[in-house]
Amino acid sequence: MWDTSVFLNTLTPKFYVALTGTSSLISGLILIFEWWYFRRYGTSFIEQLSITHISPWISGEYVENGGHLNGHTNGNNSQNVNECKVWRNPLNLYRGAEYQRFYWATNKEPLTYYDMNLSAQDHQTLFTCEADAGKEEYEIMQTAWRERNPAIRIKAAHDALEKNPDCATAYILLAEEEATTILDAEKIFKQALKVAEVSYRKSQPLQHSSSLMEGLHRRDTNVVVYIKRRLAMCARKLGKLKEAVKMFRDLTKEVPPIINILNIHENLIEALLEMQAFADVQAVLVKYDDITLPKSATICYTTALLKARVVADKFSPDIASKRGLNQAEMSAVEAIHRAVEFNPHVPKYLLEMKPLILPPEHLLKRGDSEALAYTFFHLAHWKAVDGALNLLHCTWEGTFRMLPCPLERGHLFYPYPTCTECADRELLPSFHEISVYPKKELPFFIIFTAGLCSFTALLALLTHQYPETMALIAKSFLTWVSLPMYFIYDKVEGLLSSNLLQQLSRI
């Protein structure tokens, strides 16, 4: 039988001091290297090594966090963008027919003053011009757009119509805020379109006569385009999909600057998805999902949905982990990773891990407000594609393991803006819990090495201060640990012959 007592008794306290000091130094060096690697590459070196090399070698399984996607680069990383630019929500609801009904049911204000103030500025920019000076009805409307109290705004619109029954902007305000149903809003917008087209035809031949008339014609153009878009949205909400799609298609062919502000192609995509006209949706994406054009959650997630649709009904994570992903599945997973990198807040709403609220009138791209606006209208489309949400559930979190360092560098897009939480707080009501960018947590091995380093450093300090006591403790610990080995050795010795044990000991 082994006699370890002689060996342990020959070890001096200096040996234990040197041992613990060396262990502390080695674990500290490992910790420093792990921290440096994490800061540079966004993952633990030990974890990455085990996932990408050791685990597949042992089990032969596909690991989603492999190097298939990490090699992609994109010129967008070098783009200098205005991080917190606020955009109009292309699918914003009607204040009277939808937002107001929510307030009546819950006694909660669905829109913030900041959001409504942005809308007031938009309306003043689109629906007013210098040529309105001296026209009492338009001066009333200029004041109405800035008014906070909805009752006063509605009264001002009626006053403007009394002054001039052909004041199209007054009809717009009444359709948006006084109408309590979509049918009522549609009826008022149709009245507005008649008078707006008359004004447009009057100002068209005079637009080049002076800068004043040019501004007037631009305003009349904005009014006509806005009304047509709202009528198309009424048709969409009332289930007249073909009519809505035709109107949206016609509007996307227009070229006034207002078209770029309204993002009507997103309305068209949503209506086509409702019709399940996936080929037409793909045709729209080919035109607008271009590297030179601004991205949006609608563009990125619709692209992912169409690719997921091809494979989602037959996708199984267990089968995929054993045989790996085929080309179509890899394309779908890459599209999901791309969408999640653009806006990481959307999946929790699509997977119903967070409750939805009514979307705001403005949104911050890549922020929680955009995620709400997208999911509010597109959740039904994801549910309509069998298996799409399951594929999203299995793959979306892999994006954060893949990104180098989320808050400092991007992968397919420019780095995620750090100001979105403050801007979303202004856009979204106080009763909503803001979704924050999923910050990358420290990997297990960094925490483990930090704990190991601290523990060995403490042991080294105690051994240096109390060498005799720590040596005694170490001997007791080693003796206690060796007891199971002694027990096993005794059992084996009882079962096997002494000659066989001597031969094994020689080996």
Side-chain angles (χ1 to χ4, degrees):
M1 186 175 178
W2 304 319
D3 188 5
T4 57
S5 60
V6 176
F7 170 73
L8 293 174
N9 289 329
T10 58
L11 299 178
T12 64
K14 291 182 179 180
F15 169 80
Y16 293 102
V17 173
L19 177 65
T20 53
T22 304
S23 302
S24 177
L25 176 63
I26 293 173
S27 60
L29 292 174
I30 294 173
L31 174 62
I32 293 170
F33 176 75
E34 277 281 282
W35 179 253
W36 170 83
Y37 193 89
F38 175 73
R39 292 291 297 171
R40 181 159 185 173
Y41 299 105
T43 187
S44 161
F45 173 76
I46 300 174
E47 184 177 356
Q48 187 77 2
L49 183 69
S50 62
I51 289 175
T52 58
H53 298 289
I54 299 175
S55 178
W57 179 71
I58 293 175
S59 63
E61 292 181 355
Y62 170 81
V63 181
E64 182 188 347
N65 194 34
H68 298 287
L69 305 177
N70 289 346
H72 290 274
T73 57
N74 192 301
N76 287 342
N77 287 338
S78 60
Q79 288 183 0
N80 183 15
V81 297
N82 186 353
E83 291 184 340
C84 287
K85 179 181 178 181
V86 176
W87 302 69
R88 285 188 65 87
N89 178 6
L91 295 166
N92 66 304
L93 305 176
Y94 292 86
R95 287 190 183 175
E98 292 171 305
Y99 288 120
Q100 187 65 28
R101 295 170 75 88
F102 175 84
Y103 176 76
W104 292 337
T106 65
N107 203 31
K108 293 179 180 179
E109 290 288 355
L111 298 174
T112 64
Y113 280 125
Y114 175 71
D115 191 17
M116 290 191 288
N117 187 52
L118 290 174
S119 295
Q121 294 175 19
D122 293 338
H123 293 147
Q124 284 183 282
T125 302
L126 296 174
F127 303 147
T128 61
C129 64
E130 293 181 4
D132 291 338
K135 299 178 181 178
E136 193 172 357
E137 68 276 14
Y138 286 106
E139 289 179 349
I140 291 173
M141 289 308 301
Q142 286 183 359
T143 305
W145 298 126
R146 296 193 298 268
E147 178 57 53
R148 279 191 171 186
N149 190 315
I152 297 177
R153 286 199 299 271
I154 292 170
K155 183 179 183 303
H158 282 293
D159 291 343
L161 286 174
E162 287 180 5
K163 304 290 183 184
N164 180 8
D166 294 334
C167 182
T169 55
Y171 282 114
I172 289 176
L173 191 148
L174 294 177
E176 293 281 359
E177 302 196 35
E178 187 178 45
T180 56
T181 67
I182 302 299
L183 279 172
D184 292 339
E186 184 183 45
K187 182 179 178 181
I188 298 174
F189 272 125
K190 285 180 178 179
Q191 288 179 275
L193 183 60
K194 289 179 182 179
V195 296
E197 287 181 331
V198 171
S199 298
Y200 174 80
R201 286 192 292 269
K202 286 181 179 178
S203 63
Q204 188 174 21
L206 304 174
Q207 59 180 308
H208 301 299
S209 61
S210 67
S211 59
L212 204 66
M213 294 308 296
E214 184 180 354
L216 177 63
H217 180 68
R218 184 168 54 249
R219 190 276 305 277
D220 291 341
T221 303
N222 292 341
V223 170
V224 170
V225 171
Y226 184 90
I227 292 172
K228 286 182 176 179
R229 170 178 168 269
R230 284 311 236 178
L231 279 171
M233 293 179 72
C234 285
R236 161 68 184 93
K237 292 172 186 292
L238 294 171
K240 297 180 285 188
L241 295 176
K242 289 184 179 180
E243 179 182 338
V245 166
K246 183 181 183 305
M247 296 175 74
F248 286 134
R249 282 193 189 280
D250 291 341
L251 285 171
T252 55
K253 297 173 185 175
E254 301 283 344
V255 291
I258 187 177
I259 297 297
N260 297 326
I261 298 173
L262 297 178
N263 287 321
I264 296 175
H265 62 277
E266 297 196 12
N267 298 93
L268 176 59
I269 288 172
E270 196 279 326
L272 288 171
L273 285 173
E274 180 65 18
M275 294 176 65
Q276 297 191 345
F278 297 111
D280 292 333
V281 174
Q282 183 61 49
V284 176
L285 290 176
V286 167
K287 182 178 179 181
Y288 291 97
D289 193 3
D290 185 87
I291 193 171
T292 61
L293 298 176
K295 296 292 179 289
S296 67
T298 299
I299 294 292
C300 294
Y301 278 90
T302 302
T303 300
L305 176 61
L306 292 189
K307 292 189 177 182
R309 174 177 166 268
V310 178
V311 298
D313 58 335
K314 298 177 182 177
F315 178 79
S316 169
D318 295 333
I319 296 174
S321 65
K322 292 177 182 178
R323 63 162 169 79
L325 297 179
N326 58 38
Q327 188 61 40
E329 290 171 339
M330 179 60 70
S331 178
V333 170
E334 286 183 354
I336 288 173
H337 284 324
R338 171 180 180 258
V340 175
E341 182 183 347
F342 182 82
N343 193 317
H345 310 292
V346 173
K348 285 192 174 181
Y349 291 112
L350 285 177
L351 298 171
E352 299 181 85
M353 299 165 67
K354 283 198 68 177
L356 279 174
I357 62 170
L358 295 187
E361 293 185 333
H362 290 78
L363 53 84
L364 185 68
K365 286 193 174 182
R366 307 187 75 179
D368 190 33
S369 51
E370 184 192 34
L372 277 166
Y374 170 79
T375 310
F376 188 86
F377 293 97
H378 287 262
L379 175 58
H381 306 319
W382 280 81
K383 287 184 174 181
V385 176
D386 188 28
L389 289 175
N390 177 53
L391 180 59
L392 176 69
H393 175 73
C394 295
T395 57
W396 75 277
E397 290 180 309
T399 307
F400 307 112
R401 296 194 299 272
M402 180 187 67
L403 290 179
C405 208
L407 296 181
E408 296 176 10
R409 291 194 294 162
H411 181 64
L412 298 170
F413 298 100
Y414 49 85
Y416 186 82
T418 56
C419 60
T420 56
E421 184 177 356
C422 296
D424 279 331
R425 184 74 279 167
E426 296 291 326
L427 287 171
L428 297 170
S430 58
F431 58 81
H432 173 69
E433 182 183 351
I434 297 293
S435 177
V436 181
Y437 186 87
K439 294 180 176 63
K440 199 157 194 173
E441 297 179 355
L442 286 177
F444 166 75
F445 283 104
I446 287 186
I447 300 173
F448 175 77
T449 51
L452 180 64
C453 177
S454 302
F455 179 70
T456 54
L458 179 62
L459 284 180
L461 178 64
L462 291 173
T463 305
H464 182 265
Q465 293 294 323
Y466 311 103
E468 299 291 342
T469 305
M470 292 301 294
L472 182 61
I473 293 173
K475 289 176 182 178
S476 302
F477 176 76
L478 290 174
T479 303
W480 179 74
V481 169
S482 63
L483 284 177
M485 298 177 63
Y486 290 151
F487 177 77
I488 295 172
Y489 182 84
D490 288 339
K491 291 293 183 184
V492 172
E493 189 177 33
L495 294 173
L496 302 177
S497 64
S498 58
N499 291 335
L500 181 58
L501 288 175
Q502 289 176 1
Q503 293 295 328
L504 290 174
S505 62
R506 289 176 184 178
I507 294 173

